[in-house]
Amino acid sequence: MANHKSSLKRIRQTKTRTLHNRYYAKTMRNAVRKLRATTNKEEAVALYPKVQKMLDKLAKTNIIHKNKAANLKSSLMQHINKLG
């Protein structure tokens, strides 16, 4: 166990940030899953900007890597274009 005041504070901060980041990462994964499960093109086109905004925000705050966000946006766009 940590003995210094600063290291105890750092442990508390890390725990809080981990919970925060885990929540937003899970929310993003669920949104991506929902978009991938969509078979209607109009629904997917309407949902895509929200998911794209979420991915960009998470990449900006380093919750996910910027290349991962770019790869997800690209694959989602390909999925939407394949829909009839």
Side-chain angles (χ1 to χ4, degrees):
M1 186 63 195
N3 293 319
H4 295 284
K5 248 182 156 178
S6 61
S7 55
L8 291 171
K9 180 179 178 180
R10 182 62 66 191
I11 290 167
R12 288 195 310 270
Q13 286 177 331
T14 303
K15 198 181 300 182
T16 307
R17 287 192 185 122
T18 302
L19 279 173
H20 178 265
N21 292 345
R22 194 185 299 156
Y23 168 78
Y24 283 104
K26 184 70 173 179
T27 306
M28 177 268 304
R29 283 197 302 273
N30 287 338
V32 169
R33 230 178 259 133
K34 183 179 177 186
L35 183 58
R36 282 209 178 110
T38 306
T39 55
N40 186 357
K41 187 164 185 159
E42 289 77 33
E43 275 182 43
V45 169
L47 192 61
Y48 181 73
K50 294 174 190 160
V51 176
Q52 183 181 15
K53 184 178 178 181
M54 189 184 299
L55 289 168
D56 288 337
K57 278 186 179 180
L58 293 177
K60 188 172 83 175
T61 55
N62 289 323
I63 294 174
I64 60 171
H65 196 274
K66 62 177 184 150
N67 290 352
K68 181 184 176 85
N71 289 337
L72 283 171
K73 288 191 293 186
S74 173
S75 67
L76 289 172
M77 203 64 216
Q78 286 177 344
H79 170 71
I80 290 171
N81 288 335
K82 281 182 186 174
L83 294 175

